[in-house]
Structure formats: C-alpha cells, structure tokens
Amino acid sequence: MRPGKRSRPRTKIRPKHEDAVDGFVMAVDRGRYTCRVEDRDVTAMRARELGRRGVVVGDHVKLVGDLTGKKDTLARIVKVQPRRGQLRRYADDDATSAERILVANVDQLVVVSSLVDPPLRYGFIDRCLVAALDAGVQPVLSLTKCDLDSEGVAAVEAYYADLNPIIVTSRPEEPVDSVRDVLRDKVSVLIGHSGVGKSTLVNRLVPGADRTTAAVRTIGKGSHTSTSAVALELPAGGWVIDTPGVRSFGLAHVTADSLIEAFPELMEVAEDCPRGCVHTLEVGECALDEDIGPDDSRRGRLESYRRMLASVSAAETRY
C-alpha cells in the first residue's frame, strides 16, 4: 500500500559516528567479527552503510555500539580504514576468476613449507614471493620438518641464494627463537599448503593458542584443520595470522612487466637484453639464456619465472 501523504520520508543523511572507536579485526566467522578494542575482544557485525565492502582479518576499523566485550553483546563496524599490505590471490592467473583478499595491513608474508610430507614445491613458493613483493610485503621462508631431510635445507638455500628472503628453519627439538625474532613487533601472515605445519608453528609461538593440528594423510596431502584466518598476539610483541591451507596462488593481479621484479637475480641479467625483449625462448636473443647455462644454480629460478610469465601473458592476451 502507498504511504499516507503525511508520512515522513526516511532521511538519506547517514550518521557521522564521531564517537566511533578504533579496532583491529582478529577473526571472521559467519558474519561476526572479533575485534581487539584497547585491551578487550569485542564481537561485531558489519554496518549496512559499508555496502558490499568486505572486512578481513588485519583490517583497522571504526566501531560503535556495545564495546564492553561482554557475552551476548554486539557492536557495529561502521568504517574500514585505508589498507596497506593487502594480500590478494585468485583461483588461477585468469583475471576473470574471483579475487580473494586474504588479509590486510601485514608487514610480512611467511611462506611455510615442509621439506617432506608434503614435499616442498618451489613453484608455489615463487608465486607467494611474487604476491608478497607486489603487495609491498617482506617475504619470509620458514622451512619445517627439517629433521626428516637434513640435506634439503642446503638445497633450498642454494636455490634462493640470490633472492635474499629471510630463511628460517624449524626443527621439532629446537626452540623457535629464530622465528620469534623475525616476527617480533610485526604483523605476519602464514601461508602454505595443508599439512606443512603452520598451526603447529603457531602453537609453539603463542602459548595457549590451541590451534587444531592433524597428521598428513597417506597420499602425501595435509588435512584442512584451519577453516578461517585468525590473528593471534605474540607474547613478545606483534601479531601472527594463521590461515587455512591453500593449493594454488593465482597471480591475475600481477602484470608480465612487473613479474621479473620478484626475481632480482634475473632482473640484473635482463638489463643486458635487447630493447623489447620479452625474456622467452621463442622471441629474440635473451641475455638470460646467454648468461644462465643448464648447470647454473639460477636455472631453476629462470624456468619458474618463464612458467609464470607464460601463464600471466596468456591470460593478458585473452582479456
């Protein structure tokens, strides 16, 4: 029915929320957001005025409503502050695939990879490093299960000798002081396949975290024990964000021209390439092939770069 002539129309002026307080999003669970407000944790919902804009772990937000943090109370997130260090991934390198923002406002991306069970995959690590540098985030490589392959650490260090990420090795019988020192006073997110030991590492870093862990299945793949990203405060300062295991890391947001920036050892050589060189085997004389032979320690990185280059370039050509 039509409203009466005397009905007052609803105002389109939204409240300014001048009394809103700052909060840090620690967890997201089915439309409810756990936020750290000063020294307490507050459960909040997203306000309608945010529209379709999503809220992710790591966001700095403004909240109103009941901010006591008591049971069965609910606040509202009315504003999401501008982001930095926003980590994105796609299902593949196709720009039409769905974009997913994993976390925001992080300082470091820690790629957690086990040497065995499940095996280390250089291609996945390289993709994570590309995503980190594209987002302006410091990449860190943490190797787990080193006791099962004592020679594997040296091989990984040789592969990334010229990249200069911070490589942190972690053995079950050793303390995690080296990892703790790298994470101190920073916001760090852990990324890796299921079963590599992300949650186990978090439990060792944060007493009482009680993140669920599970054994690797007989087919060599881990079980998805973590179902959502969670930020945990480190005792010595800083935050660590545990994330569910991922199988792939699409780079649809990275262009072919900027891809080589994540391969500094190759970019230095590529400066001698002729004008317009696209660094592939099919087109022109590339300085990368002249300088990096089959037995060069950088050969693996070159092949990884070209695989990503071919995938990203093909997606750019289609769209």
Side-chain angles (χ1 to χ4, degrees):
M1 297 179 62
R2 290 180 178 272
K5 293 182 179 180
R6 295 183 180 181
S7 297
R8 294 182 59 186
R10 294 182 61 184
T11 178
K12 294 182 180 180
I13 301 175
R14 306 302 303 176
K16 295 182 179 180
H17 298 300
E18 295 178 349
D19 58 340
V21 301
D22 296 324
F24 174 75
V25 179
M26 301 168 54
V28 180
D29 183 19
R30 292 169 292 185
R32 292 294 181 264
Y33 305 88
T34 303
C35 305
R36 175 63 57 86
V37 178
E38 296 179 352
D39 59 348
R40 58 191 180 277
D41 296 341
V42 175
T43 302
M45 60 178 290
R46 189 177 60 181
R48 188 173 183 179
E49 53 255 46
L50 292 181
R52 293 182 176 272
R53 181 172 184 180
V55 180
V56 299
V57 172
D59 269 330
H60 295 283
V61 297
K62 291 284 189 179
L63 300 105
V64 298
D66 194 327
L67 304 174
T68 61
K70 297 180 180 179
K71 185 179 179 181
D72 298 327
T73 60
L74 193 63
R76 282 188 300 135
I77 297 175
V78 295
K79 183 179 180 181
V80 179
Q81 303 284 40
R83 292 169 174 167
R84 63 168 183 82
Q86 179 176 273
L87 190 63
R88 299 179 291 170
R89 80 177 181 94
Y90 293 73
D92 51 40
D93 295 333
D94 190 340
T96 61
S97 60
E99 178 192 51
R100 182 178 179 186
I101 299 177
L102 298 178
V103 291
N105 303 308
V106 296
D107 302 307
Q108 298 182 139
L109 168 61
V110 183
V111 186
V112 183
S113 184
S114 59
L115 294 178
V116 294
D117 199 27
L120 182 141
R121 293 177 173 86
Y122 286 106
F124 176 80
I125 296 175
D126 287 340
R127 283 177 168 270
C128 292
L129 297 177
V130 169
L133 295 174
D134 180 74
V137 174
Q138 170 66 41
V140 177
L141 178 59
S142 176
L143 302 177
T144 62
K145 306 182 184 180
C146 300
D147 57 317
L148 302 179
D149 185 3
S150 58
E151 299 179 357
V153 177
V156 176
E157 291 177 341
Y159 184 85
Y160 291 113
D162 298 314
L163 183 62
N164 196 31
I166 303 173
I167 298 179
V168 183
T169 59
S170 174
R171 292 179 172 84
E173 70 277 6
E174 294 180 352
V176 289
D177 293 341
S178 59
V179 183
R180 191 176 289 110
D181 290 341
V182 173
L183 304 185
R184 182 176 288 114
D185 297 329
K186 293 181 173 63
V187 180
S188 307
V189 56
L190 307 186
I191 297 290
H193 293 299
S194 298
V196 297
K198 297 188 300 298
S199 297
T200 300
L201 183 59
V202 169
N203 288 339
R204 297 172 67 188
L205 290 168
V206 185
D210 295 328
R211 296 290 285 171
T212 305
T213 60
V216 177
R217 292 175 291 175
T218 56
I219 60 175
K221 295 183 179 180
S223 303
H224 288 279
T225 52
S226 299
T227 58
S228 60
V230 174
L232 300 165
E233 191 170 10
L234 294 168
W239 294 81
V240 59
I241 303 176
D242 188 18
T243 63
V246 296
R247 295 181 180 177
S248 62
F249 212 108
L251 299 173
H253 58 291
V254 178
T255 64
D257 293 335
S258 64
L259 186 64
I260 197 170
E261 296 178 4
F263 296 81
E265 70 272 48
L266 305 182
M267 187 167 61
E268 182 178 354
V269 178
E271 292 178 355
D272 297 328
C273 285
R275 184 186 297 268
C277 180
V278 293
H279 311 307
T280 62
L281 290 171
E282 293 78 12
V283 182
E285 297 180 358
C286 182
L288 294 173
D289 292 305
E290 297 177 2
D291 190 78
I292 302 176
D295 299 328
D296 196 300
S297 60
R298 298 169 294 176
R299 192 69 191 181
R301 289 275 290 167
L302 174 58
E303 293 175 354
S304 177
Y305 162 69
R306 281 179 166 163
R307 283 194 297 270
M308 279 188 275
L309 178 63
S311 180
V312 172
S313 298
E316 290 181 350
T317 302
R318 286 197 301 270
Y319 303 97

